[in-house]
C-alpha cells in the first residue's frame, strides 16, 4: 500500500454562488491536465482540510475540493436554509460545469460516501469511478445505533456527557432534542449543544481514542456548523426515502467502485458497507472491490485507512487513458 503524498499547495481557488444566498468555497490542486477527482468531506458540516488533497498524486490527478453549504469557508456559516442532499448534488454539477470537467472520479468517506452515492446515482454518466470509505447511507437504523442506543455500549464514558445535556424526559429522541436546541434562539445553548454533539463524534471516530483529535471540538465555529448541519440532515432522514441509496445502487454497478471499511468503525458500522457491496452485485461484480481494514475504526486519518485510500486511487490511474 502507498502512503499519503507530501503536502502540496493549491493551484486555484474561488467561490461559487449556488443560489439561496449560499457561496461555496472551492479549490483545485495537482496536474491541471490530469484526471479530475472530486473530494467530498464528511459531516455533513465538517469542511475540508489541507491534508485532504494528499490522497491524490499531484503529478497525475487534478484534485477538486469544496466546502459544502454552511461548512468551512463557505457562507453563510452553519446555514440550514435550502441545505439538503439534493441541493448539494446540484452544487456538484454547478462546480463541475464551472471547472469544465466532463467526468470525474468521486471520492468520499462517511457523509462524503452518502453524498457520493447520491450524486453518482443521479449522474452516473458524469462519474469515472468511486472511492468510498466508512459507508453511511443515512438510514434510520444507522442513526439510532449511533445517536440513540448502540454505540453507547462501547463508549459509555463519552456517551454520558452527550446524553447529560438533554433533560431525562426528552432522551427518548436525542436527535430531535438536540435539533430543537441547535436551531433555537439561545446562542449559548446552541454552543453548549454543538460542543457536546461534536465531542461525542470525534471521541469515537478512531480505534484508539486520540485526545488531539477530540480537540477539534474545541473550536466553537467548527462545532456549531458540524452539529447544526448534521442534526438538520439526520432529523430529516437525509431528505430521501429510507434505504434509497442502497435500493438505487444498481444504477452505478457498471462503474469501478472501491469500498474501504474499518472493521471496528463504531460511527458507521460495517453492516452498511456490506449491504452496499451486495446491492452492487458483491463478488459477482468484478467492478467492485470491498476492502475491510482489520486494525481501524472510522477516521480517514488512521494510518491503515490512509494507505488503503491512496492505494485505491493509485489503482484508478488507468482511467481515461
Amino acid at each position: 500500500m502507498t502512503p499519503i503524498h507530501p503536502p502540496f499547495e493549491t493551484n486555484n481557488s474561488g467561490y461559487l454562488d449556488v443560489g439561496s444566498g449560499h457561496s461555496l468555497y472551492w479549490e483545485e490542486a495537482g496536474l491541471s491536465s490530469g484526471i479530475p477527482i472530486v473530494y467530498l468531506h464528511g459531516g455533513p458540516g465538517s469542511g475540508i482540510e489541507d491534508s485532504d488533497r494528499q490522497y491524490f498524486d499531484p503529478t497525475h490527478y487534478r484534485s477538486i475540493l469544496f466546502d459544502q453549504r454552511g461548512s468551512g469557508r463557505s457562507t453563510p456559516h452553519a446555514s440550514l436554509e435550502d441545505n439538503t442532499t439534493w441541493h448539494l448534488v446540484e452544487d456538484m454539477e454547478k462546480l463541475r460545469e464551472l471547472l469544465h470537467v466532463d467526468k470525474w472520479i468521486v471520492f468520499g468517506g462517511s457523509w462524503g460516501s452518502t453524498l457520493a452515492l447520491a450524486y453518482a446515482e443521479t449522474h452516473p454518466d458524469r462519474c469515472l469511478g468511486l472511492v468510498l470509505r466508512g459507508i453511511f447511507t443515512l438510514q434510520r437504523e444507522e442513526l439510532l445505533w449511533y445517536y440513540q442506543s448502540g454505540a453507547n455500549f462501547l463508549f459509555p464514558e463519552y456517551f454520558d456527557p452527550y446524553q447529560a445535556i438533554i433533560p431525562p424526559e426528552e432522551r427518548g429522541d436525542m436527535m430531535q432534542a438536540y435539533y430543537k436546541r441547535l436551531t433555537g434562539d439561545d446562542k449559548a445553548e446552541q454552543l453548549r449543544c454543538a460542543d457536546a454533539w461534536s465531542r461525542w463524534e470525534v471521541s469515537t471516530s478512531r480505534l484508539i481514542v486520540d485526545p488531539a483529535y477530540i480537540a477539534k471540538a474545541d473550536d466553537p465555529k467548527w462545532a456549531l456548523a458540524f452539529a447544526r448541519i448534521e442534526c438538520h440532515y439526520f432529523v430529516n432522514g437525509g431528505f430521501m426515502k429510507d434505504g434509497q441509496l442502497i435500493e438505487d445502487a444498481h444504477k452505478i454497478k457498471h462503474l469501478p467502485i472501491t469500498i474501504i471499511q474499518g472493521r471496528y468503525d463504531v460511527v458507521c458500522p460495517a453492516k452498511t458497507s456490506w449491504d452496499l457491496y451486495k446491492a452492487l452485485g458483491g463478488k459477482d461484480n468484478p467492478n467492485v472491490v470491498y476492502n475491510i481494514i482489520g486494525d481501524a475504526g472510522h477516521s480517514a486519518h488512521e494510518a491503515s485507512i490512509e494507505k488503503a485510500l491512496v492505494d485505491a486511487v493509485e489503482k484508478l490511474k488507468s482511467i481515461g487513458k
Side-chain angles (χ1 to χ4, degrees), residues 42-319:
S46 67
I48 58 174
E49 302 175 0
D50 288 345
S51 60
D52 293 333
R53 68 182 82 107
Q54 290 177 247
Y55 297 109
F56 317 120
D57 182 350
T59 68
H60 182 88
Y61 285 108
R62 177 190 179 191
S63 54
I64 298 164
L65 303 87
F66 70 101
D67 287 323
Q68 297 158 28
R69 295 189 181 206
S71 307
R73 281 165 280 190
S74 293
T75 60
H77 177 255
S79 174
L80 307 181
E81 183 179 355
D82 289 335
N83 194 341
T84 73
T85 303
W86 309 110
H87 284 102
L88 300 186
V89 167
E90 292 175 7
D91 292 349
M92 290 177 64
E93 276 296 274
K94 290 175 182 176
L95 181 60
R96 184 187 62 77
E97 292 168 358
L98 174 73
L99 299 178
H100 306 291
V101 172
D102 181 38
K103 297 183 179 184
W104 50 13
I105 298 168
V106 182
F107 179 110
S110 193
W111 158 257
S113 74
T114 318
L115 181 56
L117 289 168
Y119 176 83
E121 291 171 6
T122 305
H123 299 286
D125 57 323
R126 294 302 179 185
C127 300
L128 293 168
L130 289 85
V131 176
L132 308 173
R133 188 264 316 163
I135 307 304
F136 178 45
T137 61
L138 231 155
Q139 295 175 87
R140 185 66 177 169
E141 66 177 11
E142 298 172 75
L143 296 170
L144 291 176
W145 153 267
Y146 188 68
Y147 293 100
Q148 192 66 40
S149 180
N152 58 311
F153 281 72
L154 297 173
F155 289 92
E157 74 274 35
Y158 295 104
F159 189 84
D160 274 2
Y162 159 79
Q163 180 177 251
I165 206 164
I166 302 299
E169 62 271 17
E170 295 184 56
R171 292 177 188 171
D173 190 338
M174 292 290 291
M175 286 178 283
Q176 192 62 52
Y178 264 95
Y179 186 63
K180 181 174 74 173
R181 290 162 174 79
L182 288 166
T183 58
D185 296 329
D186 187 332
K187 298 301 181 184
E189 186 173 52
Q190 277 192 22
L191 291 174
R192 284 195 301 272
C193 288
D195 179 84
W197 176 284
S198 302
R199 208 166 289 278
W200 161 239
E201 189 154 333
V202 295
S203 297
T204 57
S205 287
R206 298 193 175 196
L207 178 61
I208 306 300
V209 175
D210 183 353
Y213 193 66
I214 295 173
K216 285 187 69 172
D218 293 342
D219 178 355
K221 182 178 179 181
W222 177 85
L224 185 63
F226 185 72
R228 268 174 58 88
I229 297 172
E230 277 201 340
C231 204
H232 167 68
Y233 273 72
F234 298 167
V235 299
N236 287 290
F239 305 93
M240 67 184 90
K241 185 177 72 172
D242 195 51
Q244 178 176 331
L245 298 179
I246 300 292
E247 290 178 13
D248 289 348
H250 63 92
K251 296 178 180 179
I252 57 172
K253 63 193 306 182
H254 61 288
L255 296 170
I257 300 172
T258 299
I259 298 169
I260 294 167
Q261 178 69 43
R263 169 65 73 192
Y264 302 106
D265 187 338
V266 171
V267 183
C268 299
K271 178 184 182 298
T272 304
S273 66
W274 184 247
D275 289 344
L276 175 64
Y277 176 60
K278 291 188 293 182
L280 290 167
K283 64 181 181 180
D284 295 324
N285 185 353
N287 297 319
V288 183
V289 175
Y290 184 71
N291 188 2
I292 282 280
I293 309 301
D295 61 350
H298 180 69
S299 174
H301 298 295
E302 293 176 271
S304 54
I305 295 282
E306 285 184 340
K307 291 177 181 178
L309 287 168
V310 175
D311 190 52
V313 174
E314 289 289 305
K315 290 176 180 176
L316 288 175
K317 281 186 170 180
S318 61
I319 285 179

Side-chain angles (χ1 to χ4, degrees), residues 17-28:
D17 183 347
V18 293
S20 304
H22 287 281
S23 181
L24 305 188
Y25 172 78
W26 61 268
E27 61 186 38
E28 57 179 339

